[in-house]
Amino acid sequence: MTDAVTPMPPRFLRTPEAARHLGLSGRTLEKHRCYGTGPIYRKIGGRVVYALSDLQAWADRGARTSTEAAVDDPVLPARRPGSAVGSASGLRR
């Protein structure tokens, strides 16, 4: 008998499962996908799926040791790049 362990194949989650895994709403994850600020995803047969390793890597980008820590690669909020909060371009009419 061999003790060789076969590595598990990557596990993929659909948007609602991935959002629950991250503690976000599904809509927030969809916005991140549209704006290009979210985790890496794949389209398989027209379905959006996320690998657990990609979700973890994206979440790890937000790891900090203090509020003073410098941020080289921040996890951005789910909004269009370049839109400023409170500016005229960021307000809805």
Side-chain angles (χ1 to χ4, degrees):
M1 185 160 98
T2 348
D3 287 337
V5 177
T6 305
M8 293 292 293
R11 170 107 196 273
F12 293 103
L13 303 177
R14 302 276 308 268
T15 300
E17 297 168 316
R20 273 193 305 277
H21 179 76
L22 293 169
L24 301 172
S25 74
R27 183 68 182 122
T28 298
L29 199 52
E30 289 169 1
K31 286 180 182 180
H32 275 296
R33 191 167 60 239
C34 290
Y35 302 150
T37 58
I40 295 170
Y41 67 94
R42 291 157 178 80
K43 297 265 310 212
I44 300 175
R47 295 182 178 176
V48 173
V49 294
Y50 297 87
L52 280 173
S53 59
D54 291 334
L55 295 174
Q56 191 61 48
W58 183 73
D60 287 346
R61 286 176 44 196
R64 304 287 181 272
T65 56
S66 77
T67 57
E68 299 289 322
V71 180
D72 294 331
D73 191 18
V75 173
L76 300 172
R79 68 176 86 121
R80 287 183 181 89
S83 66
V85 176
S87 70
S89 63
L91 297 176
R92 291 186 174 168
R93 295 180 189 226

